[in-house]
Amino acid sequence: MIRLGRYADPQRGPWWAVVGADESVSPLTGSYATTGDLIRDGEADWRAAAQAPGQLQATAVEWLAPITTPCRVMCLGANYRQHAIESGMDPDDREFNLFFDKTDASVTGPADPVVRPAHVRLLDFEIELALVLRREITEPVVVTPENLGEFVFGITIANDLSARDVQLPQGQFLKGKSYRGFCPTGPYIVVPEADELGVLDRLDLRLEVNGELRQSDTTANLLFGPAESLTELSTFCNSSPGDLLLTGTPHGCVATSPPAIVRRLATAILPERKLWAAFVKRQLDKPYLQPGDRVTASIRTADGSVDLGRQDTLITAPTQEVTP
């Protein structure tokens, strides 16, 4: 597998390949303005760079998001068994994916600070394996484990940061999940060969806040895999090279949902506005992200043979308040 990253070097770059066990990096010779351009036109270049001597250490590079914008950022909800349960769902009674999206204004780099908007008090984290899509899709397609490589170029880390006090009370997934910086990506796109895509079923996800483990699971526990998810997605959504599909987050998010029967009873007793006000009030004592918190996220195989790198995200306060 080849790891590719984007780095704003004034003389070289912007695309680099990570080479060798020492994790040095080698520049591609082409410029490739977008991730889509890299996918369409850069294969010979990135394969050559992956075999060339490294010129810098990967740890010395300030990596940018490997996904350029504009792009689509599509997402799967409650797609891990235990997370579906903590979201108030029965994982054995799911016939379809839960799809939603984020705007590409949310895409940021793997080490960029993220501003928590002044009106947001319930900022949550969601580590996710993201698929980097390979080809243009403008009609329904059937994706199988055998032809998955025709549709998936690579994989990367994403953090689906979510303002729960916007997403849930306002019923606005798009708004609550799309504030600027709410989708750290990278540091790398890992590009598997067609016969290596089986690794997507055995990746370990791990997220910590200030060094404390909050999320840990394996892609073996996905309810809907990449092939069936892309098949379903193609029935209602076009895609282009360089678009993202976030495949869901494991259990361990701060926000949880009471059982469906409890929600129905509460709705019958309280007006919706008071119900959500009570929800937010109860949530304020929980460990949502605060300015000064540091979120680290990594995805790798258990033996370390495949490593998507590490994100390090500092949550900051806004310098000025903007009315939402």
Side-chain angles (χ1 to χ4, degrees):
M1 295 191 188
I2 295 174
R3 288 180 288 177
L4 303 173
R6 197 163 62 99
Y7 165 50
D9 185 295
Q11 279 81 41
R12 298 163 295 187
W15 291 97
W16 298 67
V18 181
V19 299
D22 64 345
E23 294 205 332
S24 57
V25 294
S26 173
L28 278 63
T29 57
S31 57
Y32 311 111
T34 70
T35 306
D37 291 342
L38 176 75
I39 294 170
R40 282 184 290 259
D41 305 324
E43 181 170 356
D45 196 355
W46 52 258
R47 287 192 182 277
Q51 301 299 319
Q55 298 185 16
L56 294 168
Q57 288 300 119
T59 53
V61 170
E62 295 182 4
W63 294 109
L64 304 173
I67 307 302
T68 57
T69 58
C71 68
R72 297 179 182 89
V73 184
M74 303 302 297
C75 309
L76 305 180
N79 198 30
Y80 282 81
R81 171 166 292 274
Q82 193 60 39
H83 182 49
I85 293 171
E86 72 178 5
S87 299
M89 302 178 187
D90 180 355
D92 297 317
D93 193 33
R94 294 279 302 279
E95 296 185 33
F96 304 101
N97 266 301
L98 170 62
F99 285 97
F100 60 93
D101 60 347
K102 298 168 78 81
T103 70
D104 59 8
S106 65
V107 174
T108 193
D112 292 337
V114 173
V115 175
R116 188 187 75 169
H119 64 282
V120 172
R121 293 177 292 173
L122 307 183
L123 178 60
D124 211 345
F125 45 79
E126 295 190 15
I127 185 176
E128 309 212 12
L129 174 69
L131 309 181
V132 184
L133 304 188
R134 179 185 290 275
R135 54 175 278 193
E136 200 85 27
I137 297 176
T138 58
E139 61 183 2
V141 296
V142 177
V143 185
T144 66
E146 291 71 32
N147 69 5
L148 184 61
E150 298 176 20
F151 300 91
V152 174
F153 172 73
I155 51 180
T156 192
I157 304 170
N159 188 353
D160 176 22
L161 292 169
S162 304
R164 303 298 192 196
D165 42 352
V166 174
Q167 173 197 348
L168 298 174
Q170 294 185 20
Q172 297 205 55
F173 270 65
L174 182 66
K175 181 179 176 182
K177 288 174 170 283
S178 294
Y179 290 103
R180 299 183 189 281
F182 272 29
C183 191
T185 61
Y188 311 129
I189 300 174
V190 174
V191 184
E193 303 294 346
D195 61 355
E196 295 176 321
L197 282 164
V199 75
L200 272 63
D201 299 327
R202 54 183 182 88
L203 291 167
D204 294 338
L205 291 74
R206 183 181 179 92
L207 181 140
E208 299 177 352
V209 178
N210 301 327
E212 177 186 346
L213 181 64
R214 298 289 186 87
Q215 289 185 283
S216 179
D217 209 334
T218 169
T219 52
N221 291 326
L222 284 170
L223 297 177
F224 297 94
E228 58 190 321
S229 298
L230 287 171
T231 298
E232 187 179 350
L233 180 66
S234 76
T235 64
F236 65 89
C237 181
N238 293 337
S239 61
S240 302
D243 286 347
L244 283 178
L245 175 61
L246 279 57
T247 57
T249 196
H251 64 284
C253 300
V254 182
T256 58
S257 179
I261 188 170
V262 175
R263 297 199 304 271
R264 287 196 294 269
L265 288 172
T267 303
I269 296 171
L270 290 174
E272 186 173 0
R273 187 179 184 88
K274 289 187 176 181
L275 177 65
W276 284 117
F279 167 82
V280 171
K281 184 177 181 180
R282 288 196 305 270
Q283 295 289 308
L284 289 174
D285 292 333
K286 294 186 176 182
Y288 286 94
L289 294 172
Q290 306 293 327
D293 285 345
R294 189 171 293 276
V295 183
T296 56
S298 61
I299 300 178
R300 63 200 296 269
T301 54
D303 62 4
S305 60
V306 178
D307 191 339
L308 278 61
R310 173 187 169 97
Q311 292 186 0
D312 188 350
T313 302
L314 177 66
I315 306 300
T316 65
T319 55
Q320 60 180 3
E321 185 171 350
V322 178
T323 302

